[in-house]
Amino acid sequence: MRTGDVLLMMGEGPLSELIAWASDGAYSHAAIVADAGDLIEATTGGVVRTPLRARLADRDHYRFIDAVRMDGGHGPGLEPADAAAVLARAASLLGMPYPVDELALFGVIMAVRGKWPRHALGRLLVRVALDHALPDDTGRVVCSEVVYRAYAECTAEPAGRLAPVIVVGERGTAPFPDIDWKRLLEQLWPLLGPRDRQALEPARTALLAGTEDGAGLPGLPVVGDDELEAARRAALGRAGLLAGEGGRPARLDDPGTVVPDPNPRLVSPQDLAASPSFVPLGRVMQRDASHA
């Protein structure tokens, strides 16, 4: 692996499944290869360095990992000066406080894609995720934002020359995933505030008691399309990009359209996977069925 290569990962767990479904893709996490055998990524503990070897061996938390490489214009790979600039920008993001969790990444993707599940608990979780998305504190980042900004904001001349091209993706037809709702709520609970916990407490109680499977949970508020759309517009407004006012959300139904001046906070792992700026290197880790 070379400095600047991007790792696209499918994590383990129901929230990762929701992120992949919402983005019409196969990935829930992204990281950039640094130097000294490390990668740089945003996690719940901050923007950190992680040993690359350890990640490629982590079959407990990741199902598979694919790698892509920037097309530097003279074949795949960056010139040494460009690689150094990308690494320097990625390293400058290390230690950023209060990074956004996976629930917020799910909210970011839902704000852009606007896919509403039919399942009552799924709709409530989307509503909660949209409130978590794109917080006003600009010091918070999602994993794919770190990768995008490392390229787009580095010192390579002219400015923005290495910014990955982002295009509107195809609308997927995959059904809503068969979610383990009990496990999902266990994963989400530490990320929720008091108001969200109060809304989800009846569902959590029923699931923990084993009396429901998520299909007909009691006490759930009804979340309509209008409420979800209003929450979506509020999330996009916090990013300074309202649906229908130019930019990406206005062209969701026009696959292949290049997004001009993408907002880094709206870039998803699937956007990086679909970017024509990157060349696929192939799968670098695959968990076998016996490990599931």
Side-chain angles (χ1 to χ4, degrees):
M1 304 295 292
R2 302 179 189 173
T3 296
D5 288 349
V6 177
L7 298 184
L8 301 165
M9 313 173 211
M10 180 58 191
E12 176 58 41
L15 190 49
S16 291
E17 294 172 5
L18 285 177
I19 290 170
W21 171 80
S23 61
D24 294 309
Y27 307 106
S28 62
H29 187 60
I32 189 167
V33 175
D35 57 354
D38 288 343
L39 55 83
I40 291 176
E41 61 182 340
T43 73
T44 53
V47 180
V48 299
R49 280 181 175 263
T50 300
L52 175 59
R53 179 175 295 183
R55 177 55 49 82
L56 295 180
D58 187 358
R59 288 167 169 77
D60 291 331
H61 299 101
Y62 297 92
R63 299 178 186 178
F64 57 81
I65 302 175
D66 293 339
V68 298
R69 178 169 292 161
M70 173 65 74
D71 185 346
H74 304 285
L78 296 171
E79 296 293 331
D82 287 343
V86 170
L87 173 59
R89 181 58 181 136
S92 74
L93 301 175
L94 288 168
M96 289 186 69
Y98 311 114
V100 170
D101 51 62
E102 276 193 305
L103 180 60
L105 175 58
F106 178 48
V108 166
I109 295 170
M110 294 304 295
V112 173
R113 303 297 285 177
K115 291 175 60 174
W116 310 140
R118 296 182 180 180
H119 193 290
L121 180 53
R123 293 174 73 87
L124 179 56
L125 288 174
V126 168
R127 179 68 180 83
V128 169
L130 287 168
D131 286 343
H132 277 247
L134 304 166
D136 295 328
D137 179 357
T138 56
R140 302 184 178 190
V141 293
V142 295
C143 59
S144 35
E145 179 184 352
V146 170
V147 175
Y148 182 85
R149 290 177 62 184
Y151 275 97
E153 299 174 1
C154 72
T155 57
E157 296 290 344
R161 172 170 59 87
L162 295 179
V165 174
I166 302 299
V167 299
V168 176
E170 294 279 352
R171 279 287 188 173
T173 58
F176 190 75
D178 185 14
I179 293 295
D180 182 337
W181 295 103
K182 179 180 177 181
R183 186 180 178 194
L184 177 61
L185 284 182
E186 289 174 346
Q187 187 178 2
L188 290 179
W189 210 251
L191 308 177
L192 301 176
R195 185 186 66 177
D196 296 331
R197 289 187 179 187
Q198 182 178 11
L200 290 167
E201 183 59 42
R204 179 172 180 261
T205 299
L207 287 168
L208 291 177
T211 59
E212 298 287 348
D213 63 1
L217 291 166
L220 287 181
V222 176
V223 181
D225 286 352
D226 289 345
E227 182 178 349
L228 290 174
E229 183 59 28
R232 175 183 182 234
R233 288 181 62 83
L236 291 170
R238 292 196 295 273
L241 183 60
L242 288 174
E245 295 181 0
R248 180 179 187 170
R251 284 187 290 275
L252 283 177
D253 295 323
D254 190 9
T257 298
V258 174
V259 180
D261 193 22
N263 186 321
R265 300 168 84 187
L266 298 179
V267 173
S268 72
Q270 181 59 31
D271 289 329
L272 298 173
S275 172
S277 300
F278 293 107
V279 176
L281 297 179
R283 187 146 296 179
V284 294
M285 188 275 271
Q286 173 72 59
R287 187 174 70 185
D288 58 44
S290 64
H291 199 90

